[in-house]
Amino acid sequence: MNLLNLETPCLVLDRGKMEKNISSLHARMKALGVNLRPHGKTAKNIDVIQIAIAGQSGGITVSTLKEAEYYFGHGIKDIVYAVGIAPVKLDHIANLMKQGAAITVLLDSVEQVRFVAAKGVEYGLSIPALIELDCDGHRSGVPLGDSLLMEIGRLAHDEDGVELAGVLTHAGASYQCKSIEEIRAVAETERYVAATSAGVLRQNGLPCPIVSVGSTPTAWFAEDLTGVTEVRAGVFVFQDLVMAGLAVCDVDDIAISVLTSVIGHQKKKGWVITDGGWMALSRDRGTAAQKVDQGYGLVCNVEGQSLQNLIVASTNQEHGIIADRGGNEVDWNSFEIGSAVRILPNHACGTGAMYDKYYVTDGSTEITDVWSRVNGW
Ligand SMILES: Cc1ncc(COP(=O)(O)O)c(C=O)c1O
């Protein structure tokens, strides 16, 4: 099979680039003496995650219970479900635990402790729970210094059916940083909030074995992880244009791309029309606020070499409009009608979610494997 014969749009994964991204973060974690708990929400695929957990303790993070069930079905037991827990999900979790999965839930309220504990008692389980901390006002968690930490901690420790496993925070604000120095500072705040909160629990006689931090930018640029037991990151396996804009990677490190067909020319407007619209690329515009706005994605030739001046400037559902970002004339000979181009994504998770499989390449246009994805909930 060759990329040139595939029906478009479809998702292409360059295995060599992915392996390099993973080994780069492994080396950074090793230097800092911390375990990596990869987030399975980016790849949603066991082949990628098996490479990402190699040499680590084997635990993963997930964002849906469908992922949890899928990865558990492929032999991964230690799973952190890193979205605040809702009561309607606990039967599903308890059933997976009854089959041998070790699923840790996330909470930042007394109400959640109570319903997790009740479900644990109902099933004869002790459900491990991490207290979510807010390190940057991003969206959720207990802020540093709030008495709620001890309130939740004490209740989770005392109640049957639930077990206090530690603390977790995610520096989502790292995506808005404007420099590497800023990301380093956000990473240090993420570490400090987690380690300090763990200290508060321990000083008050409560257990806190897990101190979990992470996002791809902070994982990449953290300089010190004292007091942290594990780092979570997902996007790093593929990288994307948002990460390139944050200097986490180069554009040429991005391992996934969308293969599209050229279906028309609008020469007076300087547009190449493709069949890769927002259903193929996602509506993510994560680079819009960055120094270089990559539109809906950066254009590459079919071999995967990026054409720096050409972006998908706008999209409709099934149409992508490629234009030169400086308004220069397009080299029409490079975009013959019926030919294929590849588009690098703004956000690997969002673009990946549009597809049920990866066409895996070895860097050439030859396809070496087809790997499935577990989408949905
Ligand atoms: C709780 C949590 N942990 C870890 C991550 C991984 O971060 P990234 O997507 O930057 O790799 C995310 C991403 O949204 C998250 O929500």
Side-chain angles (χ1 to χ4, degrees), residues 80-262:
V80 169
Y81 173 43
V83 176
I85 191 65
V88 287
K89 297 176 183 173
L90 285 166
D91 284 310
H92 197 169
I93 288 173
N95 280 317
L96 290 173
M97 289 182 73
K98 282 286 187 191
Q99 293 168 51
I103 301 187
T104 302
V105 300
L106 197 58
L107 43 79
D108 63 359
S109 68
V110 166
E111 292 86 336
Q112 287 167 308
V113 183
R114 291 199 197 286
F115 60 66
V116 170
K119 193 57 73 176
V121 169
E122 184 185 325
Y123 279 83
L125 293 166
S126 191
I127 301 174
L130 294 168
I131 303 176
E132 185 172 11
L133 307 169
D134 180 4
C135 63
D136 56 8
H138 177 56
R139 64 180 172 217
S140 48
V142 179
L144 186 64
D146 195 312
S147 59
L148 185 58
L149 177 72
M150 274 307 298
E151 212 182 316
I152 294 172
R154 180 83 57 209
L155 194 66
H157 185 55
D158 292 349
E159 289 284 308
D160 290 334
V162 60
E163 177 196 330
L164 179 59
V167 292
L168 174 148
T169 192
H170 165 62
S174 60
Y175 277 58
Q176 272 77 56
C177 287
K178 300 288 180 218
S179 65
I180 293 174
E181 288 66 37
E182 250 186 76
I183 300 173
R184 289 198 175 119
V186 169
E188 172 52 18
T189 305
E190 187 183 45
R191 182 203 71 80
Y192 178 79
V193 168
T196 307
S197 303
V200 170
L201 292 171
R202 290 176 189 139
Q203 279 150 26
N204 285 280
L206 297 181
C208 188
I210 298 174
V211 183
S212 183
V213 301
S215 68
T216 290
T218 53
W220 211 262
F221 288 122
E223 294 175 300
D224 171 33
L225 289 171
T226 305
V228 165
T229 64
E230 63 176 39
V231 168
R232 306 171 323 280
V235 168
F236 77 100
V237 295
F238 298 152
Q239 305 289 21
D240 56 26
L241 291 169
V242 167
M243 290 304 131
L246 289 166
V248 167
C249 67
D250 290 329
V251 158
D252 291 335
D253 295 326
I254 300 171
I256 57 167
S257 56
V258 172
L259 185 74
T260 66
S261 293
V262 174

